[in-house]
Amino acid sequence: NNHVVEGADKLSVQFINEKSINATIKGASAARDIAIISIPLKDIDEETANSIKIATMGDSTKLKVGNGVIAIGNALGYGQSVTTGVISALNRTVSIDNMKNDMIQTDAAINGGNSGGALLNASGEVIGINSAKYSSNGYSSEASIEGMGFAIPISDVSELIEKLMNGETSNEDKKGY
């Protein structure tokens, strides 16, 4: 997500074997909260390269409320985390930093550090990018919020991701500026 890398002086990608490689931002869109980072292929050792799998992209336009989902990420910086849940709502308008986007709402736990992680369908296809959650610090006698996580629908941003990956624009929000 853009909110993860925005303003960063230095980025690195850590793999499951705990090896890290410096990364750079290839392109970003603050309005859609999307960022593409890259690492030099020459810096990936053989062990890491052999363990990397390419994610299969799904079709978020085919989702239905009640479909099972899996959220993966790095919750609270503890390392890989996996949670499950269902799609609670589709096209839920969420406002973050005065920017509104229609998102997938899920009750799969999405916590700090999960941003940028994949939301998967039951077939293991990426159908969303974990981005936000609502929470509250209310007392039991007050209204409180639990289980409201949000993901960017992959079908809504697949074209933008492709453009950013191919370097067609370095910052989508300033295209034509």
Side-chain angles (χ1 to χ4, degrees):
N1 293 107
N2 182 67
H3 76 265
V4 175
V5 301
E6 188 174 46
D9 294 326
K10 186 177 177 182
L11 295 173
S12 66
V13 174
Q14 184 176 12
F15 294 91
I16 193 114
N17 59 5
E18 298 188 10
K19 294 182 181 175
S20 294
I21 298 175
N22 289 333
T24 57
I25 299 172
K26 194 165 186 180
S29 169
R32 295 309 314 256
D33 196 21
I34 295 292
I36 300 297
I37 62 172
S38 66
I39 57 174
L41 292 176
K42 66 178 179 53
D43 292 351
I44 302 174
D45 63 86
E46 188 175 341
E47 176 191 9
T48 302
N50 290 335
S51 66
I52 294 173
K53 305 290 184 238
I54 297 173
T56 302
M57 295 297 141
D59 184 351
S60 58
T61 65
K62 294 182 179 178
L63 298 174
K64 296 186 182 338
V65 172
N67 287 155
V69 292
I70 303 161
I72 61 174
N74 180 16
L76 305 177
Y78 288 133
Q80 184 176 354
S81 67
V82 178
T83 59
T84 60
V86 297
I87 293 174
S88 305
L90 297 167
N91 302 313
R92 181 75 75 200
T93 302
V94 177
S95 181
I96 301 169
D97 295 332
N98 297 320
M99 292 185 212
K100 292 182 181 182
N101 282 297
D102 289 340
M103 303 182 108
I104 300 166
Q105 180 184 332
T106 180
D107 68 345
I110 295 177
N111 294 297
N114 282 82
S115 292
L119 186 68
L120 307 170
N121 62 19
S123 299
E125 300 168 325
V126 178
I127 47 101
I129 301 168
N130 301 329
S131 184
K133 71 177 243 174
Y134 284 162
S135 64
S136 65
N137 294 326
Y139 299 101
S140 60
S141 63
E142 297 178 9
S144 63
I145 300 168
E146 288 186 35
M148 290 186 72
F150 299 94
I152 301 163
I154 200 66
S155 298
D156 291 0
V157 293
S158 58
E159 188 176 310
L160 171 60
I161 289 169
E162 194 72 28
K163 285 180 181 180
L164 294 173
M165 282 179 23
N166 292 324
E168 291 181 29
T169 177
S170 62
N171 189 324
E172 184 66 19
D173 297 330
K174 295 183 180 177
K175 188 173 183 178
Y177 177 72

